[in-house]
Amino acid sequence: MKIALDFDEVLAETFDSLLRYYQRRYGKLYKREEFKEYKFWPLLGKNREEATRFVDEFLETHTFDELMPVDGAIESVSEMLNNRDKLYIITARPL
């Protein structure tokens, strides 16, 4: 079977890492629970363009090996591979 998995928030805890980066950069720690929708820039006190630049900066400075896996992701991927499923990792990130 062919299976496509999104990278961010399906395999890796990208948003938590982004919030830690925000804390290092601006000195304020937000918790994931404070965000009720994907449109997160108002809570950060930024407009959409500023938030996009911030996320781009984060993505340019962080490598995949700095991200923690989502709970259960390793076991699930291992099971799919053991079933000989063909896996594809997808993302909306610019590569």
Side-chain angles (χ1 to χ4, degrees):
M1 178 182 306
K2 294 179 181 179
I3 301 172
L5 301 168
D6 189 12
F7 183 79
D8 299 312
E9 303 310 312
V10 173
L11 296 177
E13 296 282 359
T14 311
F15 194 64
D16 289 336
S17 186
L18 178 75
L19 294 177
R20 287 190 300 275
Y21 180 70
Y22 187 89
Q23 179 188 21
R24 287 193 304 272
R25 186 95 158 65
Y26 297 105
K28 176 152 177 60
L29 177 61
Y30 287 97
K31 295 183 177 164
R32 173 186 287 268
E33 297 78 32
E34 295 178 73
F35 296 85
K36 304 297 182 202
E37 61 181 319
Y38 186 73
K39 186 172 82 172
F40 63 89
W41 48 91
L43 184 59
L44 298 179
K46 298 186 175 301
N47 63 40
R48 185 178 184 150
E49 292 76 26
E50 291 170 326
T52 299
R53 282 194 299 276
F54 171 73
V55 171
D56 288 343
E57 177 184 306
F58 165 77
L59 294 174
E60 289 173 9
T61 60
H62 284 72
T63 59
F64 292 119
D65 60 345
E66 295 174 338
L67 301 174
M68 298 300 297
V70 169
D71 287 341
I74 293 173
E75 297 81 7
S76 296
V77 168
S78 295
E79 183 178 331
M80 287 182 251
L81 290 172
N82 286 338
N83 291 338
R84 298 191 184 273
D85 293 324
K86 190 163 187 132
L87 303 183
Y88 298 90
I89 308 303
I90 57 174
T91 185
R93 294 177 184 215
L95 298 176

